Amino acid sequence: MSARVKQFLKETIDEDLFGNSMASHHVAGRLAFMKIEQARAKAAELLGLKDSKSVIFTGSATEANNLVINGFWLRFRDRGCRVLYSAIEHKSALESCQRIATFAGCQAHEIPIDSNGNVDLDVLKTHLKDNPKRLPTLVVMMHTNNEIPVRFPVESISELCQEHRAYFHCDAVQGIVRERIQVDKQSYGSLVISPHKFYGPKGVGILCLSDQSTCTPLAPFIIGGDQEFGMRPGTLNTHGILASIDALKELDETRANLVKHMTSCQNAFISTLQASPKFHRTIPTSHHAPGIVNFYLENWDALTLLSKLSKTCINRGASCTGAGGEKFSHVPRALGLPLEIQANVLRASFGWGCSVENAVEAAREILDICRNK
Ligand code: PLP
């Protein structure tokens, strides 16, 4: 967490905000409710939504992706529906799409990417056009990938969705860190962000539903409460939500510097590692998606290398892939890398938690291990 958000969170905990925001019959509940609604209104303003009811708080972006994709199927389960999703979605979106594909009446198509990480818009177009039963269609495409430095052409995807009356759900967890996002202006149907990616607390996800006719239609996935307009029952994490919106405000003020910093770190890391001819990036860096380096070291088993690092924290794939264990990520497979490389791909990512000097030190630690094999 950023120093500012940490301080804000401490002050919020010290304020008497323990009342349940749904308990409108007593003063403590009403106070918590008022604070949450203020935070919701600020989030809507910062994310370009006119109606604050378009903002739904969840427990994580993983939960929000599950809510949208399962909720879309639930809404249309009698009529049938379709889901078109990219091969490199975060697992929370990918596996939700794969699972609803097994449910009655759902047709699903995975849209491939090429070896540079570009999503095949021609395949997407073909599937969008080929809809003789005019089934409601949800397109699930992330803004920016979390393992490879790739930003999808969300503007073109959004246009295609409008042209073919499909709904566009976008996982912008990584995108918002790098770019300002205005949900309605950019015609997203629904969009998800995660405050712990921009120095807010863990345990909060933010789902934005468009104010426009492009809004992704949903039925609640979790049931048993009226919170979040019935869309996401469960007692709200008042302190976490307030601190998350403070982090969103801070992100808007600091994003340009963060992007510069991530770029400097990534460049220092790469140029230090380039001293070894065994260092290879799976795809080149992109100024659209700074701060992520996806690479492997020839003849090095990724798990062995990770086990020897004592100072550097990098991963094999995303953390949620159980990256330290036996499983490895679907992303190198989607890039079409040979099997022996897929298993040994590493991902380094950078942010305020790391200085340029730290990035150089990390690269040196990796080089030293490789030299002393
Ligand atoms: N989507 C992307 C692109 C991510 O990078 C992550 C986090 O790693 C998630 C979704 C899941 O977010 P959360 O940790 O809030 O569940």
Side-chain angles (χ1 to χ4, degrees):
M1 260 187 280
S2 77
R4 166 174 146 177
V5 174
K6 229 186 263 179
Q7 184 57 31
F8 179 89
L9 183 58
K10 281 184 197 156
E11 286 167 15
T12 311
I13 290 170
D14 286 342
E15 264 183 69
D16 194 7
L17 280 182
F18 200 72
N20 187 324
S21 60
M22 287 298 280
S24 56
H25 297 295
H26 57 65
V27 66
R30 284 198 293 274
L31 179 63
F33 178 80
M34 183 191 77
K35 291 278 185 180
I36 285 179
E37 292 317 304
Q38 283 169 352
R40 196 190 304 282
K42 190 69 197 172
E45 181 195 320
L46 293 171
L47 296 164
L49 288 156
K50 280 181 234 52
D51 186 354
S52 66
K53 288 199 186 75
S54 307
V55 174
I56 310 279
F57 295 115
T58 66
S60 63
T62 296
E63 184 196 323
N65 277 333
N66 271 266
L67 160 55
V68 171
I69 296 162
N70 289 276
F72 185 76
W73 177 80
L74 279 166
R75 173 76 181 257
F76 293 110
R77 67 182 184 278
D78 296 332
R79 176 174 169 197
C81 64
R82 304 193 309 155
V83 61
L84 310 176
Y85 59 96
S86 93
I88 56 168
E89 291 306 300
H90 183 268
K91 269 163 72 95
S92 55
L94 184 80
E95 293 187 3
S96 296
C97 292
Q98 290 167 342
R99 188 166 67 173
I100 66 164
T102 66
F103 293 170
C106 181
Q107 295 174 13
H109 300 281
E110 188 172 286
I111 313 298
I113 57 158
D114 67 16
S115 57
N116 286 315
N118 301 310
V119 65
D120 195 329
L121 290 187
D122 288 334
V123 176
L124 175 63
K125 245 184 260 175
T126 304
H127 285 302
L128 282 169
K129 274 189 198 152
D130 183 20
N131 185 14
K133 290 190 186 158
R134 295 182 171 249
L135 291 177
T137 302
L138 181 65
V139 171
V140 177
M141 296 267 163
M142 67 202 319
H143 185 290
T144 298
N145 191 265
N146 50 315
E147 294 185 41
I148 53 176
V150 164
R151 178 202 190 272
F152 277 170
V154 284
E155 296 76 10
S156 311
I157 294 167
S158 167
E159 269 173 35
L160 280 173
C161 289
Q162 286 174 71
E163 199 181 313
H164 296 278
R165 294 178 174 270
Y167 302 101
F168 180 17
H169 173 63
C170 185
D171 174 341
V173 167
Q174 297 290 335
I176 188 107
V177 178
R178 293 159 175 86
E179 277 175 42
R180 187 154 183 265
I181 290 181
Q182 298 287 284
V183 178
D184 273 342
K185 222 187 248 167
Q186 296 166 329
S187 300
Y188 295 102
S190 46
L191 182 135
V192 164
I193 61 174
S194 181
H196 74 87
K197 298 291 180 198
F198 45 87
Y199 308 99
K202 292 183 173 63
V204 178
I206 302 176
L207 166 63
C208 303
L209 295 173
S210 166
D211 292 342
Q212 321 275 316
S213 59
T214 50
C215 180
T216 307
L218 301 179
F221 178 46
I222 301 174
I223 52 171
D226 293 334
Q227 291 95 340
E228 299 305 271
F229 320 108
M231 208 38 91
R232 193 276 186 180
T235 301
L236 289 178
N237 172 1
T238 310
H239 306 99
I241 289 169
L242 302 191
S244 292
I245 304 313
D246 195 51
L248 189 58
K249 279 193 242 167
E250 191 178 26
L251 176 67
D252 255 16
E253 294 156 21
T254 53
R255 186 185 284 109
N257 284 339
L258 175 60
V259 165
K260 265 192 223 151
H261 177 68
M262 290 193 293
T263 307
S264 306
C265 289
Q266 121 199 327
N267 292 347
F269 182 75
I270 292 169
S271 59
T272 310
L273 277 171
Q274 276 169 336
S276 165
K278 294 187 179 225
F279 166 71
H280 302 281
R281 276 175 285 162
T282 60
I283 67 170
T285 47
S286 150
H287 70 276
H288 291 303
I292 301 173
V293 183
N294 195 265
F295 66 102
Y296 62 95
L297 290 136
E298 232 171 277
N299 302 328
W300 262 95
D301 171 69
L303 291 182
T304 312
L305 181 65
L306 290 177
S307 71
K308 289 178 187 283
L309 292 171
S310 61
K311 293 185 286 186
T312 306
C313 302
I314 56 173
N315 254 340
R316 196 169 68 141
S319 311
C320 59
T321 312
E326 292 310 309
K327 287 195 233 154
F328 55 90
S329 163
H330 57 288
V331 177
R333 182 172 64 239
L335 283 173
L337 291 167
L339 196 60
E340 65 280 9
I341 295 179
Q342 281 177 37
N344 293 308
V345 165
L346 294 164
R347 176 198 65 164
S349 53
F350 303 94
W352 289 131
C354 160
S355 65
V356 172
E357 292 72 32
N358 293 152
V360 171
E361 238 180 287
R364 289 204 182 121
E365 188 183 18
I366 295 170
L367 288 179
D368 284 347
I369 291 168
C370 293
R371 275 192 207 108
N372 298 328
K373 191 175 184 181

